[in-house]
Amino acid sequence: MTRDEITAVVQTSLDDLTGAFFTTDDLNDSLQDSYDLSALVSECIETYINVNFVSNLTYYNFATSLTRYLRIIAIYNNNTNRWLEATSLLGLINIDAKWETTTGEPLYFWPVDSTYVAIYPRPASATGNMLVFYKQYANTLSGSDTPQVPDENIKVLDYLSVSDLLDQIEEFKKSLDYFKLSQETLAELAKAVDKRIQPDYVAKLR
């Protein structure tokens, strides 16, 4: 369903097909907020991209260089045809006390924070690239755009938006009813995404 199709469903749920209570901007803004929240909580939006290795670079700023970057999922070294193993700072120190300056083909990655991901060893030359799989924030929707939410869970956007708009006109009881529906549907979406992010699934993406 496109954004405009979903807003039409929201209008029907609100019994406001004539726009007596809510403008088009009200509907679109509320739906976008619902989409933003659903994508953030469930982490349902995933993508991947080739990133060139940079000589002697350990820390990669994915928050700046990757579109709508939320967090890392996995990294595949296209030079060696091997997955990098996720680890921690302590894990890297245990492997190599001078891990930050050791060069070679990358074997491990460490998600430092919401911005940086470190790789070890770091490449000595800017040769080849890595395939980076990551979660994304929601994109800004236009009328013909389809939200990146599975079809079986798309009702979460309707429920959240209706709850939000009813709350704005102080229909608190009805708003709470839709909010409860949204939380049930959001939990189902998050559960489906958790099942989806397994090693065999990620391998199929490559």
Side-chain angles (χ1 to χ4, degrees):
M1 297 178 71
T2 66
R3 187 201 68 180
D4 285 351
E5 289 172 337
I6 298 171
T7 55
V9 173
V10 171
Q11 281 185 300
T12 300
S13 299
L14 292 167
D15 194 19
D16 188 36
L17 295 178
T18 61
F21 293 101
F22 302 104
T23 67
T24 299
D25 285 345
D26 291 334
L27 293 164
N28 291 340
D29 289 346
S30 181
L31 184 61
Q32 183 66 52
D33 289 344
S34 300
Y35 181 38
D36 292 344
L37 177 63
S38 298
L40 182 62
V41 172
S42 70
E43 298 187 335
C44 62
I45 305 178
E46 302 142 0
T47 191
Y48 55 91
I49 189 172
N50 281 312
V51 175
N52 292 330
F53 287 122
V54 179
S55 62
N56 295 313
L57 183 64
T58 299
Y59 297 95
Y60 287 74
N61 186 338
F62 287 156
T64 298
S65 60
L66 302 185
T67 303
R68 305 196 322 273
Y69 176 81
L70 177 58
R71 72 170 180 86
I72 194 72
I73 301 174
I75 299 176
Y76 186 81
N77 187 338
N78 286 319
N79 293 354
T80 60
N81 293 322
R82 290 182 59 181
W83 292 99
L84 272 64
E85 183 178 337
T87 188
S88 63
L89 175 59
L90 181 59
L92 290 172
I93 293 172
N94 287 336
I95 294 169
D96 182 353
K98 298 181 179 181
W99 69 272
E100 285 184 295
T101 56
T102 299
T103 59
E105 280 292 347
L107 299 172
Y108 298 87
F109 75 92
W110 165 42
V112 180
D113 53 26
S114 60
T115 299
Y116 289 95
V117 172
I119 60 174
Y120 166 82
R122 65 185 188 181
S125 61
T127 303
N129 55 54
M130 53 184 162
L131 192 57
V132 177
F133 298 80
Y134 67 101
K135 300 279 189 175
Q136 288 185 305
Y137 291 105
N139 54 304
T140 300
L141 298 171
S142 63
S144 60
D145 288 338
T146 300
Q148 297 180 65
V149 176
D151 291 342
E152 59 269 26
N153 306 110
I154 199 69
K155 287 293 289 183
V156 69
L157 304 184
D158 173 30
Y159 295 149
L160 280 169
S161 188
V162 171
S163 175
D164 170 50
L165 292 166
L166 287 172
D167 189 71
Q168 291 180 31
I169 59 172
E170 300 183 358
E171 290 279 0
F172 299 126
K173 175 61 172 63
K174 292 180 181 178
S175 174
L176 181 59
D177 290 340
Y178 275 97
F179 181 75
K180 289 177 180 177
L181 287 172
S182 74
Q183 296 310 289
E184 293 171 2
T185 311
L186 190 56
E188 292 171 359
L189 172 58
K191 185 176 180 180
V193 172
D194 284 341
K195 289 182 179 179
R196 193 170 64 186
I197 299 304
Q198 301 295 333
D200 58 338
Y201 168 78
V202 175
K204 290 176 184 177
L205 288 177
R206 186 172 58 82

